[in-house]
Amino acid sequence: MDVSRRAKQIPPSSTLAITAKVRAMKAEGKDVIGFGAGEPDFTTPAFISEAATDALHDGMTHYVPTPGTPEVREAIAAKLRDENGIDCDASHITVNNGAKFTVFLALQALLDPGQEVILPTPAWVSYKPMIDLAGGTLVEVPCEGAQDFKMTPDQLEAAITPATRVLLMNSPSNPCGTMYSPDEVRAIAEVLERHEQVVVVSDEIYERLVYGDEPNLSMGSLPSMRDRVVTINGLSKAYAMTGWRIGYACAPGGDGAVIKAMNKLQSQMTSSITSFTMPAVVVALTEGAEEVERMRRIFAGRASLIHELVKQWAGVTCPRPTGAFYIFPDISSTFGSTSPGGRRIDSALDFAEALLDETGVAVVPGEDFLGPGPRHIRMSFATSEEQIAEGCGRIREWLGQLAPGEAVASSPSSTAH
Ligand code: PMP
Ligand code: GLU
């Protein structure tokens, strides 16, 4: 049976595909070290899970309001007001089945066919398919490793046209592991002040996982931007709740017009998130700070460790990870070489496939992250320090055994820093 053009048009998620492959190899008893999975290796803190099991046992098993219960929306609004400085109330919030679906709904609610979406790349693999499904036109702004993969105000200014409708930002970034400083966020906002038609979709799902000196600044907290930002967040990453599927958006502009549109779409698609998870969301947001900080510290240690180890790889460069749990090394100096197992490496995909087959180490090839992504691999450090040390050691040894091919042009992002 044939399927629709829409279904044919989009690829499967390559990050989920690698995670599934590693899981299958481990099930077969293979010795695999996985740097693929973009999810915390911790289990959800017990007191959060108990709030859901209590609710389940107490009979919270019926349909709930599409945007989320009043309690959950108030808890989210309070978090965004107190922690992020966003001037909002419960009516500006919608709760959805994972931040992935939240981004999807936001783009569906905002875009008409042909409208342009500016996306600084490398960017998370799912954004492009979501833009395509909403009929938007992708306008990439490629950002090199030498600029920590961050878009400059001039690059943004040059990318804006009368057809620009959305700027899709993700800081801290998947896959880059870098983040915009508060001053850099303000500088981007200054450009946008000159272009009133542009709405920002700001995916801040990694905002709690930061390792530098400066916190995340939410664009939606800037008074000039309040009415033009859809802030996206969720519980997956900070609270180790990926399997729960809980994401949310906040958009105070136009008396919550975008949120109302997202709720209308959600009412026809999934109705709401799972009822008995809602009390757990309230508990996580109101009592979870200590646990979040405990996990953040562990990620911070891993960020330093993996950066130290990757820096030892000959010919490979990458910025220090300052947020999220990814590092995105430039491995393009290996292109043209031959692996110890006799495979020619001409792309990040070749690199990742040969590496997995010959060393049992799984990484995500950078192609689907776009921009300079094809010269990079993504490694998630949501895994133990032992696994990080073992996996990076195997890669280092394997790199040392690559047989050089003809010289390849040096890449612009090969600046060590
Ligand atoms: N945004 C980014 C940048 C992500 O990396 C992820 C992780 N999958 C998500 C959104 C969605 O997370 P979830 O659907 O688990 O809430
Ligand atoms: N965001 C994570 C990742 O990039 C989870 C998988 C996915 O949803 O893409 O690996």
Side-chain angles (χ1 to χ4, degrees):
M1 199 191 302
D2 210 4
V3 300
S4 69
R5 263 177 301 194
R6 186 183 303 114
K8 278 187 204 142
Q9 160 200 12
I10 60 160
S13 161
S14 54
T15 48
L16 291 180
I18 302 272
T19 311
K21 188 166 179 183
V22 169
R23 200 178 291 132
M25 288 174 78
K26 282 186 176 162
E28 287 167 16
K30 295 204 171 114
D31 168 27
V32 195
I33 300 204
F35 290 112
E39 63 171 338
D41 50 329
F42 308 110
T43 43
T44 305
F47 69 94
I48 299 176
S49 300
E50 277 156 21
T53 50
D54 287 352
L56 183 56
H57 290 301
D58 290 348
M60 194 174 178
T61 54
H62 298 95
Y63 290 132
V64 282
T66 291
T69 59
E71 295 77 22
V72 88
R73 278 179 288 150
E74 180 46 45
I76 292 169
K79 175 256 183 286
L80 292 170
R81 283 193 304 265
D82 299 347
E83 294 180 11
N84 302 76
I86 299 174
D87 174 16
C88 65
D89 64 42
S91 72
H92 305 137
I93 308 295
T94 178
V95 189
N96 324 104
N97 295 273
K100 187 180 257 180
F101 191 53
T102 308
V103 178
F104 177 84
L105 286 176
L107 293 174
Q108 291 286 333
L110 285 166
L111 288 172
D112 280 321
Q115 289 184 320
E116 294 175 359
V117 179
I118 296 178
L119 181 68
T121 52
W124 180 38
V125 294
S126 293
Y127 293 143
K128 180 182 182 311
M130 290 185 197
I131 294 165
D132 290 345
L133 287 172
T137 301
L138 172 68
V139 177
E140 271 193 68
V141 177
C143 303
E144 298 292 338
Q147 61 192 88
D148 283 356
F149 306 107
K150 291 188 279 192
M151 178 177 67
T152 64
D154 287 348
Q155 282 183 297
L156 173 60
E157 183 71 66
I160 294 175
T161 75
T164 308
R165 170 68 169 145
V166 170
L167 165 63
L168 178 46
M169 296 279 291
N170 170 222
S171 174
S173 159
N174 175 6
C176 304
T178 53
M179 63 184 283
Y180 290 75
S181 70
D183 280 347
E184 287 164 342
V185 173
R186 287 188 198 98
I188 297 286
E190 261 171 46
V191 174
L192 295 171
E193 280 164 22
R194 297 194 284 273
H195 302 277
E196 280 180 9
Q197 86 277 17
V198 184
V199 171
V200 181
V201 174
S202 180
D203 180 347
E204 301 180 17
I205 188 122
Y206 296 102
E207 55 139 7
R208 308 312 293 170
L209 303 177
V210 301
Y211 320 116
D213 304 328
E214 294 183 295
N216 172 65
L217 175 68
S218 294
M219 178 99 64
S221 70
L222 303 176
S224 66
M225 294 302 296
R226 174 189 181 262
D227 291 346
R228 295 168 54 192
V229 177
V230 182
T231 304
I232 311 270
N233 206 330
L235 275 68
S236 284
K237 314 291 173 166
Y239 298 89
M241 290 174 70
T242 45
W244 294 62
R245 315 305 306 126
I246 297 163
Y248 58 82
C250 169
D255 204 19
V258 175
I259 296 298
K260 286 183 189 132
M262 290 170 72
N263 286 333
K264 197 162 56 164
L265 291 164
Q266 172 152 290
S267 77
Q268 298 286 22
M269 295 182 187
T270 61
S271 299
S272 75
I273 67 164
T274 303
S275 57
F276 53 82
T277 64
M278 296 214 192
V281 176
V282 176
V283 166
L285 292 177
T286 52
E287 296 168 34
E290 245 177 66
E291 278 298 303
V292 172
E293 176 57 14
R294 184 184 66 80
M295 293 188 272
R296 187 200 68 79
R297 278 172 196 268
I298 296 174
F299 282 126
R302 294 169 177 177
S304 309
L305 174 67
I306 199 165
H307 187 228
E308 283 312 308
L309 295 173
V310 170
K311 277 197 304 193
Q312 293 170 15
W313 298 348
V316 174
T317 57
C318 85
R320 184 169 78 90
T322 51
F325 35 63
Y326 306 104
I327 189 163
F328 202 54
D330 181 342
I331 46 86
S332 61
S333 65
T334 66
F335 294 174
S337 67
T338 305
S339 73
R343 300 162 73 138
R344 166 97 181 180
I345 296 174
D346 284 324
S347 66
L349 189 60
D350 292 343
F351 182 102
E353 283 179 355
L355 183 72
L356 181 58
D357 284 350
E358 297 176 19
T359 70
V361 177
V363 300
V364 183
E367 278 85 350
D368 287 355
F369 299 106
L370 310 179
R375 295 200 309 271
H376 296 256
I377 53 165
R378 188 192 80 173
M379 298 171 71
S380 156
F381 49 87
T383 187
S384 71
E385 295 201 353
E386 292 72 33
Q387 292 275 297
I388 292 171
E390 169 68 22
C392 288
R394 284 191 204 175
I395 297 176
R396 186 181 174 184
E397 209 173 296
W398 183 78
L399 286 171
Q401 293 166 14
L402 293 183
E406 66 268 30
V408 282
S410 71
S411 71
S413 71
S414 307
T415 325
H417 62 297

